[in-house]
Amino acid sequence: QVAEALETLGWLVEPDPRTHGAAFASEQEVVVFQGDPTAPTTGFLGRCALVQMSVALAGCDDSFDLRENETISLMIDSSDAAEPEKQRLRAWALLLGRDINNAPASMAKLAKAVPAQNAQAVGQLLCRVAAADHLVTKGEQRLLDRLFRNMGLTSEVGEMLKAGLDGFDEVPVAGAEKP
């Protein structure tokens, strides 16, 4: 009802419970923005999942680097989604990026839901996010491996994806963090 009331006033909310299928929690942060109330397409939730996995990956090193954010923004902007849907995805990314602890929920479930024909492309995008700040931490490496495994990508395909990115083999993998 809240989302519908906001929409009648020309505002949209993300996550929209009508699309995401979950009611607002009492302490939940949301993004409210003006936009086109066009209903999202059937592929919208898949795009949301990709943004969620990307933000979780970017936040693995306890920060959300500007270069990682730019990579996620470019991914959204270059998608074939209509502009109203891109606006919702930008709002979703903004919300997740505000608190990186919002994104890691159900990563295995999200990765398992990636269609097999899209898994390699999703893996490549995730590698780009991980390498965006020119530093791949152990946490990012572990999450990439877990996501690849849950998407059904073999370790060989995962290594090929990582090695196939321009400059990825030059990206230093951070050592163990000190307490």
Side-chain angles (χ1 to χ4, degrees), residues 7 12-16 18-20 33 36-48 81-82 84-86 88-89:
E7 193 172 297
L12 303 174
V13 63
E14 198 56 49
D16 188 325
R18 298 170 298 178
T19 305
H20 291 271
F33 58 100
D36 183 343
T38 304
T41 64
T42 56
F44 177 70
L45 288 179
R47 289 183 175 103
C48 283
E85 206 162 280
K86 288 180 185 180
R88 286 185 174 277
L89 291 169

Side-chain angles (χ1 to χ4, degrees), residues 11 75 153:
W11 294 89
M75 175 184 66
L153 296 174

Side-chain angles (χ1 to χ4, degrees), residues 84-106:
E85 206 162 280
K86 288 180 185 180
Q87 191 175 17
R88 286 185 174 277
L89 291 169
R90 288 184 204 107
W92 182 238
L94 174 71
L95 177 65
L96 294 173
R98 283 183 46 79
D99 182 1
I100 56 178
N101 294 320
N102 288 333
S106 51

Side-chain angles (χ1 to χ4, degrees), residues 14-31:
E14 198 56 49
D16 188 325
R18 298 170 298 178
T19 305
H20 291 271
F24 294 130
S26 62
E27 300 282 326
Q28 180 179 356
E29 186 174 4
V30 298
V31 176

Side-chain angles (χ1 to χ4, degrees), residues 18-163:
R18 298 170 298 178
T19 305
H20 291 271
F24 294 130
S26 62
E27 300 282 326
Q28 180 179 356
E29 186 174 4
V30 298
V31 176
V32 178
F33 58 100
Q34 287 186 311
D36 183 343
T38 304
T41 64
T42 56
F44 177 70
L45 288 179
R47 289 183 175 103
C48 283
L50 179 58
V51 168
Q52 192 168 349
M53 287 187 288
S54 298
V55 170
L57 186 60
C60 270
D61 52 5
D62 295 326
S63 71
F64 193 52
D65 185 271
L66 181 60
R67 290 167 292 197
E68 293 165 328
N69 187 36
E70 288 173 351
T71 303
I72 293 168
S73 293
L74 279 170
M75 175 184 66
I76 292 169
D77 291 342
S78 64
S79 75
D80 62 355
E83 189 54 39
E85 206 162 280
K86 288 180 185 180
Q87 191 175 17
R88 286 185 174 277
L89 291 169
R90 288 184 204 107
W92 182 238
L94 174 71
L95 177 65
L96 294 173
R98 283 183 46 79
D99 182 1
I100 56 178
N101 294 320
N102 288 333
S106 51
M107 285 297 108
K109 182 179 174 184
L110 292 175
K112 286 178 183 177
V114 172
Q117 68 270 21
N118 297 346
Q120 197 163 337
V122 168
Q124 187 173 24
L125 287 169
L126 293 173
C127 285
R128 289 193 189 283
V129 170
D133 61 357
H134 304 293
L135 178 70
V136 179
T137 65
K138 295 265 189 213
E140 288 171 327
Q141 183 67 47
R142 281 192 296 270
L143 182 54
L144 272 176
D145 290 343
R146 192 167 77 231
L147 291 172
F148 286 176
R149 202 170 37 256
N150 285 310
M151 286 189 289
L153 296 174
T154 64
S155 58
E156 293 81 23
V157 170
E159 291 305 314
M160 178 199 68
L161 283 174
K162 289 182 258 181

